[in-house]
Amino acid sequence: MIDLRSDTVTKPTEAMRQAMAHAEVGDDVYGDDPTVNALEARTAELLGKEAAVFVPTGSMSNQLALRAQTEPGDLIVIDGASHVILNEGGAAAALCGVTMKPVPGHHGVFGGAEVEAAMEPAHPFNPGHLNPKRRLLFIENTHNAGGGTVWPLPAILYACEVARRHGLVTHLDGARLWHASAASGVPVVDYAAPFDTVNVCFSKGLGAPVGSALAGSAGVIQRARRFRQQFGGGMRQAGIIAAGALFALDHHMGDLEADVRNARVLAEGIASTEGLDVALERVQSNIVRFQVTAVGAGVFASACHTAGLHMLPSGAHGMRAVTHRDVSGDDIRRALEIMASVLTVLRDGGALAEA
Ligand SMILES: Cc1ncc(COP(=O)(O)O)c(C=O)c1O
């Protein structure tokens, strides 16, 4: 089975498993797991921040960023198709009590003008206490639902500059920040610089089985630790999993460029396959969102799965395929063959004509 559902499906290598098995550990709730401490220090350094806290998931990392920097009732300025809105089970409302102000983005990307427009202009006739407090600008890079969109650095700088002028704090959901950097050549530290807090994931593309981290100032991260405990994220001998993340940072970072190249090959093959459609300019990192024009996405996804290719349907005709370190260039060529032959079979069987 060629599994392109997500870059989270990777399995730890034997060398990573060895590193995990032999990790030095302690009780991290008491702060004495040396491997977790090393990972937190390493992540903070990579992102140019004072401190970082290790958490099991990117969702918890995002929620800690919100909880530590907002009050219930505050408003988050954000793209409407962000992961934290669509795919975190409503946690921002349930755990943090915040509301969302979606701004019009272009596949997840917007700029300072949109942030400016999201502010309620102050005027004596508009008592400020009527409005929820605009508190935090939230940016996702790369943007998952947008199709792995890579934010241009100038757009980030402009949006954050406007946010700061209006007194907002800023959070970057960099679940795939590594991919943004591999695709654009912009160092992760430059992407992270304008933000108060940054989430990164070690289990998306980097090949670690578990783990994310939130980085920021020492004060914010200290506060985030309190909420990590409150959310049930205090882990004990977590060095076992932190060792997988450290191994991934040491050995797998350089492989992400191949994933970006494979996504481009996949997208170009899809573009030249009758019955499929993709906007090539939207394929910017390791995520390929494309359309099955002649049949429902569910039918297509099921038929591909039966033929040995696993992908996710997304909406009536949308599909998502994600490249990662456990699929090779040969797998991508084979995936394209499977898609073409599935379409032929569906066409011959009349499914395309009926659709
Ligand atoms: C952009 C983005 N942010 C956050 C997350 C959440 O990560 P996790 O699945 O580790 O909770 C994901 C997961 O895919 C994601 O794509």
Side-chain angles (χ1 to χ4, degrees), residues 44 47-53 195-198 214-221:
L47 297 171
K49 303 296 181 199
E50 281 177 354
V53 57
F195 293 94
D196 293 297
T197 48
V198 181
L214 182 71
S217 70
V220 170
I221 296 307

Side-chain angles (χ1 to χ4, degrees), residues 57-59 62 83 88 140 144 173 175-176 201 204 212:
T57 64
S59 299
N62 282 335
H83 189 277
E88 294 182 17
E140 183 179 315
N144 182 345
D173 178 0
R176 295 184 181 80
C201 296
K204 295 176 186 72
S212 297

Side-chain angles (χ1 to χ4, degrees), residues 6-8 56-62 82-84 87-88 138 140-145 173-176 199 201 203-204 211-212 287 320:
S6 178
D7 48 13
T8 57
T57 64
S59 299
M60 185 180 284
S61 191
N62 282 335
S82 298
H83 189 277
V84 72
N87 300 114
E88 294 182 17
F138 193 116
E140 183 179 315
N141 186 22
T142 66
H143 196 283
N144 182 345
D173 178 0
R176 295 184 181 80
N199 161 48
C201 296
S203 57
K204 295 176 186 72
S212 297
I287 298 178
R320 187 183 88 157

Side-chain angles (χ1 to χ4, degrees), residues 106-302:
H106 188 65
H107 306 304
V109 174
F110 51 86
E114 287 79 7
V115 178
E116 192 73 62
M119 296 300 140
E120 199 62 34
H123 188 279
F125 300 165
N126 292 328
H129 59 264
L130 292 184
N131 308 123
K133 187 169 169 47
R134 281 140 178 82
R135 179 67 187 139
L136 183 145
L137 171 68
F138 193 116
I139 282 177
E140 183 179 315
N141 186 22
T142 66
H143 196 283
N144 182 345
T149 328
V150 178
W151 272 71
L153 189 55
I156 293 176
L157 294 173
Y158 183 25
C160 288
E161 190 267 311
V162 174
R164 216 162 287 285
R165 182 150 41 79
H166 286 279
L168 274 66
V169 294
T170 54
H171 172 66
L172 171 63
D173 178 0
R176 295 184 181 80
L177 192 62
W178 327 114
H179 297 86
S181 182
S184 66
V186 175
V188 288
V189 71
D190 291 354
Y191 277 132
F195 293 94
D196 293 297
T197 48
V198 181
N199 161 48
V200 287
C201 296
F202 309 108
S203 57
K204 295 176 186 72
L206 277 187
V210 186
S212 297
L214 182 71
S217 70
V220 170
I221 296 307
Q222 196 47 41
R223 198 169 144 75
R225 283 186 192 282
R226 189 180 134 220
F227 293 114
R228 181 182 70 168
Q229 194 62 20
Q230 196 176 85
F231 292 176
M235 298 180 285
R236 302 296 180 173
Q237 284 70 38
I240 301 273
I241 50 175
L246 273 171
F247 186 93
L249 290 176
D250 284 338
H251 300 281
H252 293 172
M253 196 73 92
D255 299 339
L256 296 175
E257 283 168 26
D259 298 344
V260 173
R261 279 197 302 277
N262 279 340
R264 171 68 27 196
V265 172
L266 182 66
E268 283 169 358
I270 288 170
S272 60
T273 302
E274 203 189 325
L276 303 180
D277 192 21
V278 61
L280 282 175
E281 73 283 0
R282 285 188 52 197
V283 180
Q284 299 177 7
S285 56
N286 69 325
I287 298 178
V288 181
R289 288 194 179 269
F290 63 99
Q291 303 288 313
V292 196
T293 50
V295 67
V299 171
F300 182 67
S302 297

